[in-house]
Amino acid sequence: MFDNICVFIIVNNAIITLKTCNNMNFLPYICRLIITTIRYLVINIMNLYKFDSVVISPSDIISLHKQDTWELTYVVHGRGTRTLGDVTSEFSDGDLAFIPPHIPHCWKYDNNYTDDRGRVEYATLSFRTEFIDRCSSAFPEITERLEELKSVSSVITFNNKTLEELTEMMLRMRTEKMSELLPYVFRIILLLSKHESEGIVIGSFSETDRTYDRINKVKEFSQSNYARAITIDMIANHVGMNRSSFCTFFKKATGQTYITYLNKLRVDRACYLLREGKFSITEVCYMVGFNDVPYFNRCFKNNRGMSPKDYADGVITQRQVIKPRKKDTQKDQNKQD
């Protein structure tokens, strides 16, 4: 299972490299890289999600509510009516819903459809927007997909294989220890980000739709102008708000300040440029919109868990390590002949 998860693909690639690399001088560096990556994930991600497997009487189910986290809910056993934003409909065993933040929702279970102890069962995975952002920072190659996931503004479900895979993950998680859930959570995030465009809308909320329209306008402007000097007043004016109202609105809608979002966006772009290997760290700093190298270094380390220099050195080392040996290349050619 782990082979399908980004974090373990990265670690496994490094382990394979350790086994196939002739130059043993690289081994200590790669070991440190693996340890740094895992430590970064544990410290910065594991406290940003929560999984609950619940067996409960229908009368004890929480009433209509909303939260500032993303929520994936799967009904193991039960039926009744559900309210997802402005939409009320029926549900039954196997119902699955992916709910964006700030959308009111509740499940009202039928008292006559329970187990022999009068209970229903469901499982819920919730995670903060910051969790998605940290995944993006750790793995910039999937940033675009994760940004698309964050743009979801309606409650959705899925059909066919995607539904089966998500259901399987949720059922497995019920029997796992809390310390063993992280690979499943990564897998679910990847599935959601890969297939969100195939989602079937089962609920929406007009107020949330307006919020997401405004947030998307902010992000489009930021992604097009991140290399410029962007001020709070400038972006607030772009969406027709004053400075104070915008700061409050953005923090409530995204869970982070606009400056935090902008710095992360710039660091992600910096990672891309550093991977290209064509520019110095100072050049990259100014190319992505920072005007102070020490501040750039601090922001980079806060987002990536390492300095720009360590990141760039890691890219160079990886290229050197995985470069095929001439002898092996010749062997491969002989095999093909």
Side-chain angles (χ1 to χ4, degrees), residues 236-264:
N237 183 66
H238 181 71
V239 293
M241 304 177 74
N242 63 46
R243 179 189 179 94
S244 177
S245 297
F246 171 77
C247 290
T248 301
F249 160 78
F250 194 87
K251 180 66 180 294
K252 181 179 179 181
T254 66
Q256 61 186 333
T257 67
Y258 176 72
I259 295 301
T260 299
Y261 163 76
L262 181 61
N263 285 342
K264 179 192 172 298

Side-chain angles (χ1 to χ4, degrees), residues 45 47-50 67-71 101-102 125-135 149-150 185 189 254-255:
I45 289 183
N47 63 334
L48 298 177
Y49 67 86
K50 181 181 180 181
Q67 72 285 321
D68 59 0
T69 57
W70 300 79
E71 181 177 301
H102 309 301
L125 170 66
S126 59
F127 51 90
R128 297 186 176 279
T129 300
E130 187 180 355
F131 178 88
I132 304 176
D133 292 335
R134 293 296 175 89
C135 291
L149 177 63
K150 287 162 57 179
V185 180
I189 293 293
T254 66

Side-chain angles (χ1 to χ4, degrees), residues 72-84:
L72 183 67
T73 294
Y74 176 71
V75 177
V76 180
H77 180 70
R79 70 183 181 193
T81 58
R82 65 187 180 195
T83 298
L84 304 171

Side-chain angles (χ1 to χ4, degrees), residues 54-119:
V54 181
V55 180
I56 193 172
S57 168
S59 60
D60 294 328
I61 296 291
I62 189 170
S63 58
L64 188 68
H65 65 286
K66 59 182 178 180
Q67 72 285 321
D68 59 0
T69 57
W70 300 79
E71 181 177 301
L72 183 67
T73 294
Y74 176 71
V75 177
V76 180
H77 180 70
R79 70 183 181 193
T81 58
R82 65 187 180 195
T83 298
L84 304 171
D86 301 323
V87 180
T88 298
S89 57
E90 296 183 349
F91 74 90
S92 59
D93 297 346
D95 182 70
L96 182 138
F98 180 52
I99 310 169
H102 309 301
I103 294 184
H105 57 279
C106 71
W107 276 257
K108 186 176 181 181
Y109 285 82
D110 184 346
N111 289 312
N112 297 317
Y113 189 77
T114 62
D115 62 16
D116 54 5
R117 300 178 63 180
R119 303 174 305 178

Side-chain angles (χ1 to χ4, degrees), residues 275-288:
R275 288 199 302 273
E276 283 192 328
K278 299 178 181 178
F279 309 100
S280 69
I281 291 174
T282 299
E283 288 174 324
V284 169
C285 166
Y286 291 105
M287 289 173 69
V288 299

